[in-house]
Amino acid sequence: MATEKKTNALQKPLTPSAELAAVVGAGQLSRGETVSKIWVYIKANNLQDPANKRDILADAKLKAVFDGKDKVSMFEMNKHLARHLK
């Protein structure tokens, strides 16, 4: 008997908004893949606050994702990402 594997919420393919796609690329991504790509972008562009590595300093592309905020915590970031994934 074949059992159907349920995909958890982190693995479900979602479509990023235009703002988020500008950072992670267009096409469907799981939540986990999206967070990984955001971190690659943050590290590549040196956007972590040197004084507090848990804070992300938004550039123009990330500001569009972070509701215009200049800085968000890594925990707050996930809340913003959720709004940009359908």
Side-chain angles (χ1 to χ4, degrees), residues 14-17 19-20 23-24 30-39 42 62 65-67 72 74-86:
L14 299 163
T15 305
S17 67
E19 297 86 0
L20 184 55
V23 179
V24 300
S30 70
R31 255 177 230 284
E33 289 170 323
T34 303
V35 171
S36 293
K37 286 189 174 221
I38 283 280
W39 275 107
I42 289 166
L62 285 180
V65 176
F66 297 159
D67 293 331
V72 298
M74 60 174 60
F75 305 107
E76 198 183 344
M77 176 180 78
N78 291 323
K79 180 179 74 175
H80 290 290
L81 291 180
R83 292 189 196 133
H84 287 274
L85 291 167
K86 295 271 183 282

